[in-house]
Amino acid sequence: MRAMRLRFASFPFPFRTRFEHAAAARDVAENVIVLAEDEAGHVGLGEGCPREYVTGETQQSALAAL
């Protein structure tokens, strides 16, 4: 599949309950969603989970890289 169109977005997706672990606590997921479409209309979806406390990436830096 050769991608002819890429679309990407990020939006806050609330959790039903607060999620906590040793490194962070969060009420929402702020992932990056990517949609790739080829010339035949085939669609692929992908998701990235930038976490500043893990990799140093943020939602904004991931979108800027795309």
Side-chain angles (χ1 to χ4, degrees):
M1 176 173 122
R2 180 177 176 169
M4 299 301 292
R5 183 187 334 175
L6 291 176
R7 291 185 277 177
F8 40 89
S10 184
F11 58 91
F13 189 81
F15 292 141
R16 290 183 183 189
T17 59
R18 185 171 178 83
F19 180 75
E20 298 183 31
H21 55 79
R26 49 181 67 247
D27 298 304
V28 298
E30 295 177 333
N31 301 345
V32 175
I33 307 298
V34 178
L35 184 139
E37 185 175 352
D38 72 5
E39 62 276 355
H42 300 109
V43 175
L45 295 171
E47 176 184 26
C49 303
R51 300 292 182 256
E52 191 168 13
Y53 59 88
V54 176
T55 63
E57 297 171 300
T58 65
Q59 209 178 3
Q60 292 77 20
S61 69
L63 288 170
L66 290 169

